[in-house]
Amino acid sequence: MGFDRLWADLVPIGRDPATGGYHRHAWNAADARARAWFTDAARARDLDVRTDRNGNLWAWWGTPAPGAVATGSHLDSVPEGGAFDGPLGVVSALAAVDILRERGLRPERPLAVVVFVEEEGGRFGVPCLGSRLTAGEIDPDRVRALTDADGITWDEAMADAGLDPEALGPDPHLLRQLDAFVELHVEQGRHLAGTPHPVAAASSVWPHGRWRLDLTGRADHAGTTLLQDRADPMLPFARAVLAARESAAAHDARATVGKVRAVPNGTNAIASRVSAWLDARAADQTTLEAVVAGVRAEAERGADEHGVQLRMAQESHTPLVDFPRALRDRVAEVLARRAPEPEVPVLPTGAGHDAAVLSAHVPTAMLYVRNPTGISHSPQERADPEDCHAGVFALADVLQDFLEGPTGEVAP
């Protein structure tokens, strides 16, 4: 099917041949090649490809107008990420267009396939920037000033990619044209493993966010400085990492420190500064706040004990998202037509998505494709080919149901 050809063309772009991990980040060379791949694939299907003010790509089947339906995801990755997170939704969307055309569908509603930029935050640290900008959920000035690990700003990187960073900002007119957005995504967990179901519908997205901790001590010699004379930021940092695990476990939540920078980063030198990023997620906002408070309290105690200064600031936050019940039930009913059992799984997730950002502005739904191991954000991330094909047909069925419905009935 068309999915297999599209997938084979995209898979090599941005993949490290030694590790199998991906390094597609906003405005880097791999990102440019992936965007070119999408543009070529969309134009080969006679779709009208447009770049919006925030760098997101929109491929339109029909002229943009109120009542439109959109689908898609993202092409960027986390550092050393997997092949499926994001790209599965984009490739499946293009393949679904092929299926709809093969069925002879001539929709009265316009359909858009979208690629959102910097969903993972792998280069500039803040996730879902393309969708947040479009929805007016983040200040464009803040985005322009974000820097990567090399000190390059978003403003500079976007301009180098040939786009105008001064145009960044909300696009309410575009969002008002959408009656629905549906995103297909690889399952990031293993709820479907061991079940007969290759595809599920989404119920909700946990509230989650990222917090930056800056611990400032004093650089010194590792071999000559007495332990009692040190102001070592690594020690309260270590306590914060352990606190993240303990606080998450105590609240049945998730908390992770997966990114850290030490200065001067020398083996025989006491660090002068440690910057670390806490990712925290929970089933409700109160629990999330309790998890973060536990980490903050332990980091503060460690900083006071070791003579280190602590600054902790929130960099991003997504509140609890409950996808509209009417739209979710409609999706589940469509999935049930092909499901091996009549009761289609409806799953919550702790993972963030562009769909979650858009949900405050557009009626939104999600589909998950079975992941046999549950591994994600890793080169070991995968979905079996037959499950990917099932996902394409499921997405095509959902889109057809939306496109053929009378105007106004998609939005619950």
Side-chain angles (χ1 to χ4, degrees):
M1 67 186 303
F3 174 90
D4 297 321
R5 293 189 296 272
L6 288 162
W7 190 255
D9 289 340
L10 175 61
V11 160
I13 298 175
R15 182 174 60 185
D16 185 324
T19 66
Y22 284 83
H23 295 270
R24 296 190 198 121
H25 309 308
W27 315 127
N28 73 1
D31 178 64
R33 293 195 298 273
R35 290 168 66 89
W37 165 86
F38 175 79
T39 299
D40 291 345
R43 287 176 177 165
R45 288 158 174 77
D46 296 321
L47 305 181
D48 178 16
V49 182
R50 306 181 182 192
T51 304
D52 71 16
R53 62 190 300 179
N54 299 306
N56 305 310
L57 296 171
W58 296 79
W60 288 92
W61 182 8
T63 302
V69 174
T71 186
S73 192
H74 62 96
L75 293 174
D76 65 303
S77 72
V78 299
E80 282 292 310
F84 292 84
D85 180 356
L88 181 63
V90 176
V91 174
S92 296
L94 293 172
V97 169
D98 292 344
I99 290 174
L100 295 177
R101 283 207 167 115
E102 290 167 3
R103 294 175 181 175
L105 185 69
R106 297 292 183 269
E108 294 185 6
R109 296 173 182 269
L111 172 67
V113 178
V114 58
V115 174
F116 287 108
V117 69
E118 187 72 334
E119 193 269 357
E120 299 289 7
R123 181 173 182 184
F124 292 97
V126 180
C128 297
L129 281 179
S131 54
R132 288 183 194 274
L133 284 162
T134 300
E137 301 288 345
I138 193 168
D139 184 352
D141 287 337
R142 179 189 170 197
V143 175
R144 281 188 282 263
L146 291 173
T147 58
D148 67 9
D150 296 320
I152 298 171
T153 65
W154 174 281
D155 188 296
E156 294 166 334
M158 189 175 185
D160 287 345
L163 298 176
D164 180 12
E166 292 302 315
L168 293 181
D171 204 337
H173 173 71
L174 174 60
L175 295 182
R176 281 195 298 268
Q177 291 182 319
L178 303 182
D179 263 11
F181 174 74
V182 56
E183 181 174 3
L184 179 145
H185 206 278
V186 67
E187 183 192 8
Q188 293 171 294
R190 47 186 172 86
H191 295 286
L192 296 179
T195 78
H197 294 280
V199 185
S203 61
S204 62
V205 175
W206 281 11
H208 56 277
R210 297 182 184 184
W211 287 259
R212 175 170 174 161
L213 293 82
D214 288 306
L215 293 147
T216 305
R218 184 180 66 252
D220 218 325
H221 196 291
T224 61
T225 309
L226 297 176
L227 296 183
Q228 63 268 30
D229 290 342
R230 300 184 179 200
D232 186 351
M234 276 291 182
L235 299 174
F237 162 67
R239 287 175 62 163
V241 173
L242 293 173
R245 175 59 180 258
E246 293 164 359
S247 187
H251 294 90
D252 192 22
R254 312 285 186 270
T256 308
V257 178
K259 179 180 178 181
V260 60
R261 295 175 186 163
V263 178
N265 204 30
T267 306
N268 58 350
I270 299 166
S272 61
R273 181 185 179 97
V274 175
S275 297
W277 284 261
L278 170 70
D279 179 299
R281 307 164 191 248
D284 60 79
Q285 184 62 32
T286 300
T287 303
L288 177 64
E289 291 172 359
V291 170
V292 175
V295 178
R296 184 191 300 272
E298 189 61 24
E300 287 174 345
R301 282 192 288 269
D304 288 343
E305 180 179 332
H306 295 284
V308 170
Q309 292 181 337
L310 168 67
R311 179 179 179 273
M312 186 170 173
Q314 181 176 287
E315 289 197 335
S316 68
H317 176 258
T318 299
L320 174 68
V321 172
D322 282 313
F323 292 113
R325 181 175 293 274
L327 196 61
R328 182 190 75 193
D329 291 348
R330 183 170 173 176
V331 168
E333 289 174 6
V334 173
L335 296 184
R337 299 171 193 168
R338 293 181 185 269
E341 294 179 354
E343 196 70 27
V344 173
V346 180
L347 307 176
T349 183
H353 301 288
D354 292 308
V357 175
L358 294 185
S359 65
H361 308 270
V362 178
T364 303
M366 288 193 70
L367 310 181
Y368 297 129
V369 172
R370 180 166 51 196
N371 180 334
T373 66
I375 296 172
S376 187
H377 284 186
S378 159
Q380 283 73 50
E381 175 184 270
R382 71 182 180 91
D384 293 334
E386 57 269 27
D387 288 349
C388 293
H389 296 169
V392 172
F393 280 105
L395 180 61
D397 291 345
V398 169
L399 293 174
Q400 182 168 353
D401 185 77
F402 288 177
L403 291 167
E404 291 184 335
T407 301
E409 288 194 3
V410 172

